Amino acid sequence: QVQLLESGGGLVQPGGSLRLSCAASGRAFSTYSIGWFRQAPGKEREFVAAITSNSYDRYYADSILGRFTVSRDNAKNAAYLQMNNLNTDDTAIYYCAAGDPTIATIEASMGYDYWGQGTQVTVSS
């Protein structure tokens, strides 16, 4: 089992950057894929990015492609989401999740078993 804790959210102006962190407890972190999801007010939770356990494969939603980068450091039991050129549509609560999804489910919430509590990202001038 693994517990996840996100940090790094906050208020940023359009065009700005933030780096989200996902700290994990538990020895199995390195065996899990990590996904990042977000939920904006009044909207359903949506996939943002994912990285496989060995960092060989990374997946991105079309809406953030080229602006966000997902990474991980298994030695530190941590994953990261670097977010650049933020815009108001990126305002949401961001969640990290851990699990063993298949290729078919790596971009879906159902592919993950463990979730953090979320961190708020607000993009506003």
Side-chain angles (χ1 to χ4, degrees), residues 43-78:
K43 295 186 178 181
E44 294 187 353
R45 184 166 56 190
E46 65 175 0
F47 169 78
V48 175
I51 185 168
T52 53
S53 60
N54 51 20
S55 300
Y56 284 174
D57 295 304
R58 308 180 193 210
Y59 302 80
Y60 296 98
D62 289 343
S63 61
I64 58 88
L65 192 63
R67 299 187 298 122
F68 292 10
T69 302
V70 62
S71 62
R72 67 189 296 163
D73 185 339
N74 286 341
K76 295 182 178 180
N77 270 17

